[in-house]
Amino acid sequence: MIFVTVSLDLHPFHRLIRKMDEIAGQLDEEVIIQGGIDYEAKNAKYLKWIPRNKMQEPVVQARLVVTHAGIGAILLAMQHRKPLIIVPRMKKYKEHHNDHQLQVARQIQGRRGIKVVYDVDNLRDMLDFSEEPNFDSVGKDRLTGAIKQFVDRLARLQVRKNG
Amino acid sequence: MHGEPFTNPDKQKRGRKLKICLVASSGGHLTELLQFVRAFQGHKVFLITNDLFITRDLTNAYLIKEGKDPDLSVVVLVFKLLLILFKEKPDVIISTGCFIAIPTFFLGKFLFRAKVIFIESAAQVISPSKTGRIVYPISDLFFVQWASCKQCYGKKARYVGGLI
């Protein structure tokens, strides 16, 4: 199953949704699209929104995840080690209010298990991508640890101050 | 209580239970902020975010509706935040953005003497966010999630790692 997710944004991501819906009609494999907008899919199974606590399910079941370059979506795919194709939203197509997604995509596109596609006409040829991303939570753990250190030190200072 | 720190070494080691305020716009900013919840284990945590259908399942959360009248909405927002902050009296306020962090940080720091921690979103690879630039001067702790984003800010900005 191929899972496509674009989260929720003020801007619709028609370019990706329509292309994946079209491609779904050419595949034997199931395509599920979470598209964030009201949309009548012709071929794919379509959902506007999936609640936060249910987002893991389609990712776990997917062979391949196709997503915009949103941090949450990228993280979810990487955490589950799913081959990931990123299609960044672009300001010029009114898909986002800036081009930060392009920056994110360029930053991580060399990594194992991650491919970036800028032109959706190239998507069809990428869909047998099967390399699994590496993922470790070292960065997250370090940042969590640094915050925790600050918070816990503050808590100890408060005791000394207040008795 | 008189003499307690000397008779309670565990408490002195552990410290007081702090009240931690997580504040973030619903969506990606909130998703990122919630990744760091382990930093607050042992402390009391509450959340401030936007009132949208995607946030109504959250517990311990104050959901702030956007005002309809743009001239009134800043006043209403500040009023609502003041009510929350008076009630909760947070020791620490932490945010990943975006704009809702700004009044919360300023009110929290200057009226309630809270420490304020800002984590720049992982979406900011080479450029600073508007929110980050505004809260940087008053932040007690300030993190970026890419080494390339350190140059966007001054010496206070720390890079120790990021979510992706």
Side-chain angles (χ1 to χ4, degrees):
Chain A
M1 182 265 279
I2 299 176
F3 179 52
V4 184
T5 175
V6 305
S7 303
L8 259 193
D9 191 293
L10 287 175
H11 306 79
F13 200 0
H14 294 299
R15 196 168 50 108
L16 177 60
I17 295 168
R18 285 176 187 154
K19 181 54 71 172
M20 284 308 299
D21 189 19
E22 178 194 313
I23 291 172
Q26 303 157 11
L27 299 177
D28 287 329
E29 192 173 12
E30 187 185 17
V31 176
I32 299 178
I33 303 176
Q34 176 275 312
I37 56 170
D38 295 313
Y39 176 77
E40 290 264 349
K42 297 188 183 64
N43 304 300
K45 179 173 170 189
Y46 184 82
L47 297 144
K48 181 174 175 178
W49 173 248
I50 301 173
R52 189 196 327 272
N53 60 351
K54 292 211 174 343
M55 264 301 274
Q56 284 202 96
E57 293 165 22
V59 175
V60 164
Q61 286 163 34
R63 169 187 70 78
L64 172 71
V65 174
V66 180
T67 177
H68 70 158
I71 304 302
I74 292 171
L75 198 50
L76 199 51
M78 287 174 70
Q79 282 168 340
H80 292 277
R81 300 237 178 3
K82 297 294 173 172
L84 177 54
I85 296 179
I86 297 174
V87 182
R89 291 173 182 261
M90 297 194 210
K91 184 179 172 182
K92 69 178 179 184
Y93 296 128
K94 297 189 166 52
E95 293 162 347
H96 206 47
H97 61 282
N98 57 36
D99 275 329
H100 287 153
Q101 292 217 353
L102 282 174
Q103 291 172 9
V104 172
R106 283 183 200 130
Q107 184 75 9
I108 67 173
Q109 68 184 2
R111 294 191 192 177
R112 184 187 153 81
I114 295 177
K115 280 258 190 287
V116 177
V117 169
Y118 298 97
D119 181 345
V120 295
D121 288 334
N122 297 329
L123 260 177
R124 179 72 179 86
D125 295 332
M126 306 289 279
L127 295 181
D128 56 0
F129 184 54
S130 60
E131 200 176 66
E132 290 179 6
N134 290 325
F135 177 72
D136 65 61
S137 59
V138 169
K140 169 181 160 176
D141 292 343
R142 283 205 186 119
L143 189 34
T144 304
I147 300 165
K148 183 168 168 50
Q149 196 178 52
F150 179 90
V151 168
D152 289 346
R153 194 184 303 142
L154 183 67
R156 287 192 299 272
L157 278 173
Q158 297 256 356
V159 167
R160 272 208 289 279
K161 203 172 69 172
N162 299 328
Chain B
M1 277 197 286
H2 185 71
E4 199 188 81
F6 302 102
T7 55
N8 195 339
D10 278 343
K11 181 171 178 183
Q12 189 156 47
K13 210 165 116 184
R14 221 177 36 240
R16 180 165 77 75
K17 239 187 194 177
L18 297 182
K19 181 71 73 72
I20 315 258
C21 171
L22 308 187
V23 55
S25 315
S26 57
H29 292 279
L30 181 57
T31 302
E32 285 194 60
L33 187 53
L34 292 175
Q35 295 288 321
F36 302 109
V37 285
R38 274 195 313 112
F40 317 118
Q41 265 167 1
H43 301 285
K44 288 175 273 192
V45 178
F46 71 95
L47 182 61
I48 302 176
T49 188
N50 307 93
D51 184 12
L52 287 178
F53 72 95
I54 55 174
T55 52
R56 295 206 184 117
D57 61 329
L58 293 164
T59 53
N60 269 6
Y62 293 94
L63 304 183
I64 304 223
K65 274 190 175 42
E66 308 285 286
K68 284 204 178 105
D69 182 335
D71 290 326
L72 275 182
S73 65
V74 173
V75 174
V76 169
L77 174 63
V78 167
F79 181 68
K80 286 182 179 176
L81 288 174
L82 279 170
L83 284 179
I84 295 167
L85 295 174
F86 263 116
K87 180 180 170 204
E88 298 283 353
K89 298 182 180 51
D91 300 291
V92 180
I93 303 174
I94 175 162
S95 185
T96 46
C98 71
F99 296 119
I100 194 170
I102 300 169
T104 314
F105 269 31
F106 278 87
L107 292 171
K109 184 159 186 116
F110 295 116
L111 292 184
F112 298 90
R113 301 211 217 156
K115 298 291 186 195
V116 298
I117 302 175
F118 188 75
I119 306 169
E120 185 72 285
S121 165
Q124 307 292 141
V125 180
I126 54 173
S127 54
S129 64
K130 289 194 186 97
T131 306
R133 271 186 287 166
I134 292 169
V135 304
Y136 173 85
I138 67 162
S139 294
D140 294 289
L141 207 52
F142 193 98
F143 293 101
V144 295
Q145 295 197 50
W146 299 100
S148 46
C149 196
K150 267 194 78 161
Q151 71 202 16
C152 309
Y153 294 102
K155 284 191 298 197
K156 200 167 33 172
R158 290 177 62 186
Y159 167 68
V160 298
L163 286 172
I164 63 170

